[in-house]
Amino acid sequence: MRRSEVLAEESIVCLQKALNHLREIWELIGIPEDQRLQRTEVVKKHIKELLDMMIAEEESLKERLIKSISVCQKELSTLCSELRVEPFQEEGETTILQLEKDLRTQVELMRKQKKERKQELKLLQEQDQELCEILCMPHYDIDSASVPSLEELNQFRQHVTTLRETKASRREEFVSIKRQIILCMEELDHTPDTSFERDVVCEDEDAFCLSLENIATLQKLLRQLEMRKSQNEAVCEGLRAQIRELWDRLQIPEEEREAVATVMSGSKAKVRKALQLEVDRLEELKMQNMKKVIEAIRVELVQYWDQCFYSQEQRQAFAPFYAEDYTENLLQLHDAEIVQLKNYYEVHKELFEGVQKWEETWRLFLEFERKASDPNRFTNRGGNLLKEEKQRAKLQKMLPKLEEELKARIELWEQEHSKAFVVNGQKFMEYVAEQWEMHRLEKERAKQERQLKNKKQTETEMLYGSAPRTPSKRRGLAPNTPGKARKLNTTTMSNATANSSIRPIFGGTIYHSPVSRLPPSGSKPVAASTCSGKKTPRTGRHGANKENLELNGSILSARTFKGFQI
């Protein structure tokens, strides 16, 4: 039994005791029965009224609870719909009071969620509005009257985050471009003259609208300023080149050049103005020194002719070069020619440099060829001869490679330009072939000269005898240093044997006395010796070496061997 039921039974018992007690009091007092009845009716009435009042109050409570349940259910249903969540379901059977409490608690919870979502939506909308105004972008499309779902709020948050990143990126680009624009304006001495330029340079950076259109306009402005700056730099550089050229032509002293050295760098407006003033001054000075300027241009023309490998006919084709009437018209002709030559050289610079490299290699090759044919090279000390041979071999391999490379490049150039590439008035490969042919003919001529010389020397030696090949200093020292002299004589013998048809006597080197030669018609030799003793030739030896001692019916002079006369 429930506790409430026990209390109800106890209440009935108490009421019964109270009524009994009242009857006892009434009997004791002696109240008549009819009055007892009346009094009992009054008690009943009071008790009934009290109970009715209590029942009414509880009924009212029940109605309020039922009404509250109904209201909460309706509001909860609406909140679930707005918050886009599943409807609330009470688990199991419950009392009215508990149901009302649960529903009311759930309603309060969902009201709180609704409020939080609305507050976050408002905050995100404010941020979106601020960012969109700066970026000039449309606002995020969301219904501010309804309660956003969790997914919508998440997408809105991501959108705002993207806007912040876009703002940061555009701001960084804006600051960078603004810095470059300011530098360009300072370089050009340009002051902002449009509202957009003033907004960029003068206004607060935070107030600038970072729209794509503004960023594009900003980039366009920067390109325009950079183009103006580049043009200004090109003009200034052209003026500087013109100044240097006029300095060289007019042979301006170094002290006068240093006076304008401060404007030989930079491209600001004041620098450009100063450069123009210097050019005007030099042009005026050039007109006053026409002959000197034209002669300087002619020197430069000759340099370019050399670099472009102009032939004599091509050089003579420019008749003003030889004119002596130094006028403004003549100067203009020379200026036009030097400009044309410079352009021609720049267009064909790679080819000319290749030809120049071949020329230098060819000259070096000819130098090594000349050294290789020089008989004095064998007196070389320190290994230079070996180095020269290696370099000569290297050049012999390098020249054909250079020629092949140049041939391929020239053929390609001739195909592109539909004309022949000439060097010194003729095609380059013909020029190369001509150089090789001239080299071959020169070698052939040198070879014939050597053969003729050797032939004449052999005939002379056979007729008159060979001259001593050992230096006089060594010959004089021979008696004091017999060992060294013997070795030297052996070497000399081998050389002499290779170049003479006269055989040595006693296996040593034969030295002919320079004063012992006989005229072709003489029949008796005149004895001469470097020593004090004199001997006549032996009969045996005379017979054994008859082919060496008698030439054309004449007997050769006496000979010395190791310091002794034989």
Side-chain angles (χ1 to χ4, degrees):
M1 182 179 291
R2 295 180 179 179
R3 187 176 180 83
S4 59
E5 294 176 354
V6 173
L7 289 175
E9 290 181 356
E10 290 178 356
S11 298
I12 294 172
V13 172
C14 288
L15 180 59
Q16 188 67 37
K17 286 182 178 179
L19 290 174
N20 291 332
H21 192 192
L22 283 173
R23 277 195 308 270
E24 290 177 357
I25 292 173
W26 290 338
E27 287 178 358
L28 183 61
I29 294 174
I31 295 175
E33 183 64 26
D34 54 345
Q35 291 184 1
R36 292 182 187 179
L37 182 60
Q38 292 177 355
R39 289 180 182 271
T40 303
E41 287 291 338
V42 171
V43 171
K44 176 183 175 185
K45 182 179 178 181
H46 280 295
I47 293 173
K48 186 176 183 303
E49 289 178 356
L50 177 61
L51 291 175
D52 289 341
M53 184 182 65
M54 293 178 65
I55 290 171
E57 289 178 356
E58 296 302 321
E59 285 289 342
S60 175
L61 176 61
K62 185 186 76 170
E63 293 297 330
R64 288 198 308 272
L65 289 174
I66 293 172
K67 185 178 180 180
S68 176
I69 289 172
S70 178
V71 171
C72 287
Q73 284 178 338
K74 290 181 180 181
E75 185 176 358
L76 190 59
S77 176
T78 303
L79 289 172
C80 288
S81 177
E82 290 177 342
L83 296 175
R84 301 176 191 179
V85 295
E86 293 294 330
F88 175 75
Q89 296 291 337
E90 183 70 23
E91 296 179 358
E93 295 182 359
T94 181
T95 61
I96 294 175
L97 185 62
Q98 184 64 38
L99 178 60
E100 191 273 340
K101 180 180 178 182
D102 293 341
L103 290 173
R104 184 161 36 83
T105 303
Q106 189 68 22
V107 166
E108 291 176 357
L109 179 62
M110 299 190 78
R111 284 176 182 172
K112 183 179 179 182
Q113 290 182 6
K114 178 181 177 180
K115 182 179 180 181
E116 289 176 350
R117 291 191 189 184
K118 296 286 286 186
Q119 288 177 346
E120 185 176 5
L121 176 62
K122 183 179 180 181
L123 179 61
L124 290 173
Q125 285 178 327
E126 291 175 354
Q127 295 175 357
D128 176 71
Q129 182 177 0
E130 180 183 358
L131 291 170
C132 288
E133 287 177 358
I134 295 175
L135 299 174
C136 293
M137 295 176 65
H139 298 293
Y140 187 76
D141 186 15
I142 190 171
D143 186 8
S144 57
S146 63
V147 180
S149 65
L150 294 176
E151 181 65 23
E152 288 176 340
L153 285 176
N154 186 42
Q155 292 178 356
F156 202 176
R157 281 193 293 268
Q158 291 178 356
H159 173 74
V160 172
T161 302
T162 303
L163 290 180
R164 288 199 188 98
E165 293 174 353
T166 304
K167 176 188 174 183
S169 175
R170 291 188 188 178
R171 179 176 174 78
E172 183 179 358
E173 185 177 4
F174 163 68
V175 172
S176 175
I177 296 175
K178 177 182 177 181
R179 188 182 302 111
Q180 297 178 58
I181 287 175
I182 293 175
L183 291 175
C184 288
M185 287 183 174
E186 290 176 354
E187 187 73 20
L188 296 169
D189 287 338
H190 174 77
T191 55
D193 52 5
T194 64
S195 59
F196 182 78
E197 292 179 1
R198 286 190 291 271
D199 290 342
V200 173
V201 177
C202 305
E203 298 297 330
D204 185 14
E205 293 180 355
D206 295 331
F208 186 79
C209 180
L210 300 174
S211 65
L212 289 175
E213 182 180 358
N214 283 353
I215 295 296
T217 307
L218 205 63
Q219 292 171 343
K220 181 179 179 181
L221 174 62
L222 178 60
R223 286 195 298 270
Q224 292 174 350
L225 292 173
E226 287 179 340
M227 185 179 297
R228 288 176 55 188
K229 181 181 175 183
S230 299
Q231 293 173 350
N232 205 42
E233 289 175 350
V235 170
C236 290
E237 194 57 39
L239 292 173
R240 292 189 189 97
Q242 194 174 352
I243 288 172
R244 295 188 189 99
E245 184 178 355
L246 290 171
W247 278 350
D248 295 337
R249 288 182 179 178
L250 298 172
Q251 297 180 0
I252 301 298
E254 193 65 31
E255 299 79 14
E256 192 173 342
R257 299 185 185 192
E258 292 177 354
V260 292
T262 54
V263 296
M264 294 306 286
S265 62
S267 59
K268 290 186 177 181
K270 59 181 181 180
V271 173
R272 179 176 177 178
K273 184 177 180 180
L275 290 172
Q276 188 62 54
L277 291 175
E278 178 66 9
V279 168
D280 295 341
R281 184 185 74 83
L282 292 172
E283 287 288 344
E284 184 178 354
L285 191 61
K286 181 182 75 173
M287 298 301 297
Q288 298 171 2
N289 298 270
M290 190 70 65
K291 180 178 179 181
K292 185 178 179 181
V293 172
I294 292 176
E295 289 177 348
I297 296 177
R298 286 175 175 175
V299 172
E300 191 174 359
L301 273 173
V302 172
Q303 293 175 352
Y304 274 101
W305 283 343
D306 293 339
Q307 289 178 344
C308 296
F309 300 97
Y310 265 37
S311 64
Q312 192 62 32
E313 292 77 9
Q314 288 175 301
R315 301 182 188 212
Q316 291 176 352
F318 182 62
F321 185 84
Y322 308 96
E324 296 183 357
D325 185 15
Y326 301 101
T327 62
E328 175 65 21
N329 184 42
L330 185 65
L331 177 61
Q332 291 177 356
L333 292 174
H334 279 73
D335 281 334
E337 181 67 14
I338 198 71
V339 169
Q340 183 268 336
L341 266 177
K342 286 180 178 179
N343 293 335
Y344 179 73
Y345 176 76
E346 289 299 326
V347 171
H348 311 89
K349 185 176 181 180
E350 292 184 1
L351 285 178
F352 287 139
E353 287 178 349
V355 174
Q356 183 67 30
K357 183 178 180 181
W358 183 89
E359 288 274 4
E360 293 173 358
T361 308
W362 177 252
R363 283 195 293 269
L364 191 59
F365 171 73
L366 293 180
E367 179 66 19
F368 281 115
E369 286 283 297
R370 184 190 64 78
K371 290 181 179 180
S373 61
D374 186 3
N376 295 327
R377 73 189 190 281
F378 294 108
T379 61
N380 169 291
R381 294 292 184 268
N384 290 333
L385 183 61
L386 181 60
K387 293 180 181 177
E388 290 178 3
E389 286 298 321
K390 288 183 178 180
Q391 291 178 349
R392 189 163 71 94
K394 181 179 179 181
L395 291 174
Q396 284 178 331
K397 296 180 180 179
M398 184 185 299
L399 278 170
K401 292 182 179 179
L402 286 176
E403 292 167 8
E404 288 298 323
E405 291 177 3
L406 282 172
K407 181 181 179 182
R409 289 165 60 182
I410 289 173
E411 288 178 352
L412 180 62
W413 183 91
E414 289 178 343
Q415 291 176 1
E416 292 176 354
H417 294 80
S418 300
K419 62 180 181 178
F421 181 81
V422 295
V423 173
N424 293 330
Q426 62 183 138
K427 289 186 176 181
F428 176 70
M429 296 313 298
E430 294 177 358
Y431 171 74
V432 170
E434 182 179 312
Q435 295 299 312
W436 279 106
E437 181 64 19
M438 290 173 62
H439 173 60
R440 187 189 66 79
L441 294 175
E442 179 65 22
K443 288 181 68 177
E444 187 68 25
R445 185 189 62 79
K447 180 180 178 181
Q448 292 177 358
E449 288 183 354
R450 286 196 304 271
Q451 290 176 350
L452 182 60
K453 183 178 179 181
N454 291 338
K455 182 178 179 181
K456 289 181 179 180
Q457 182 178 358
T458 302
E459 291 176 353
T460 303
E461 289 176 352
M462 291 180 68
L463 184 61
Y464 301 108
S466 61
R469 296 181 181 273
T470 306
S472 59
K473 184 175 180 181
R474 290 287 180 89
R475 189 167 61 243
L477 293 176
N480 297 328
T481 56
K484 292 184 178 179
R486 188 177 298 113
K487 183 176 181 182
L488 181 62
N489 290 337
T490 304
T491 306
T492 310
M493 177 196 69
S494 63
N495 293 334
T497 305
N499 298 320
S500 176
S501 62
I502 303 176
R503 293 191 297 271
I505 303 176
F506 304 123
T509 303
I510 301 173
Y511 292 97
H512 299 281
S513 174
V515 295
S516 63
R517 296 174 182 172
L518 295 177
S521 61
S523 60
K524 183 170 67 175
V526 180
S529 174
T530 57
C531 301
S532 58
K534 296 182 179 179
K535 283 188 178 182
T536 57
R538 296 179 183 177
T539 306
R541 292 294 178 184
H542 177 74
N545 297 283
K546 186 175 181 179
E547 69 275 18
N548 293 330
L549 300 176
E550 295 180 1
L551 293 172
N552 296 327
S554 300
I555 302 174
L556 297 178
S557 64
R559 295 172 175 83
T560 58
F561 178 71
K562 294 185 180 179
F564 296 96
Q565 190 177 40
I566 58 173

